[in-house]
Amino acid sequence: RQHRHCRFRPIGYAGSMRPPCVVASVALMFASASVCVAQVPGFHPVGFPVDGYGSTVTGLSANGAIASGTAFLSSNNFAFTWTLGGGRNEFGREAGLPSSTGASAISGDGLAVVGDDGSRAFRYQGPGTYQAIARIGGYTATAATGVSGDGSVVAGSLLVNQSLVSQVFRWSQAGGIQGLGYARPTHSIS
């Protein structure tokens, strides 16, 4: 009798034995699992700070190995990154940073995190690299909401008094911040 998943009748196959094609598939699956370099699929809680009440993940690197997000405390928030092997890096607590930070995106390579401190956008690329992004005159706040795959370009919104009057911006180290204009001259939102 031929097993429905095999195209051939294995020698010595009796209905109670596993067909060789199933055994080979399982063996191949375990052999190839050791050469995978991407994050292991699964549900991995990122935890929350001991002095806080929760966390949210707002970004994930292209290979899924690094997450970025915001931890919530009763008086303020701070940005963090997380990896399965290393746990949380609560970089928003580094000395000299604003008292409250929130991450909104992470670059595809996982090396740059962007967000804001409530009034100013930032880019972070590792210990001691927190970089506040300057505002354009007439705007009172910036909020970074996106970043390129290599972390070199940041996108977000320029805001007036945290209101709906906003314009999209693009920022890079070389070009600085550039407002991208409005969809129509009479509109106050890009």
Side-chain angles (χ1 to χ4, degrees):
R1 185 178 116 176
Q2 186 175 7
H3 190 271
R4 66 184 173 142
H5 297 292
C6 293
R7 293 190 173 162
F8 58 94
R9 180 187 159 122
I11 298 173
Y13 172 66
S16 62
M17 290 176 42
R18 294 265 182 225
C21 62
V22 172
V23 175
S25 297
V26 172
L28 180 61
M29 178 178 70
F30 285 112
S32 65
S34 63
V35 296
C36 293
V37 292
Q39 184 72 27
V40 176
F43 181 78
H44 305 286
V46 299
F48 53 91
V50 239
D51 54 344
Y53 60 88
S55 295
T56 184
V57 169
T58 54
L60 195 60
S61 64
N63 69 356
I66 306 170
S68 66
T70 303
F72 304 103
L73 286 74
S74 58
S75 60
N76 59 0
N77 306 324
F78 63 85
F80 69 89
T81 57
W82 177 91
T83 63
L84 185 59
R88 294 170 71 94
N89 170 22
E90 299 175 342
F91 71 85
R93 293 186 188 236
E94 282 184 16
L97 268 56
S99 61
S100 188
T101 57
S104 55
I106 190 168
S107 59
D109 61 13
L111 300 177
V113 177
V114 299
D116 68 84
D117 65 9
S119 67
R120 200 163 232 182
F122 73 81
R123 179 178 69 167
Y124 175 84
Q125 295 182 290
T129 66
Y130 183 91
Q131 183 173 17
I133 295 175
R135 295 186 283 259
I136 293 177
Y139 292 93
T140 57
T142 54
T145 55
V147 61
S148 63
D150 66 357
S152 64
V153 179
V154 177
S157 295
L158 295 159
L159 307 165
V160 176
N161 297 325
Q162 300 290 345
S163 69
L164 289 178
V165 177
S166 66
Q167 180 180 173
V168 176
F169 76 81
R170 175 191 190 276
W171 176 92
S172 69
Q173 188 71 44
I177 191 166
Q178 303 162 340
L180 300 182
Y182 297 103
R184 295 187 181 145
T186 58
H187 288 188
S188 60
I189 298 176
S190 290

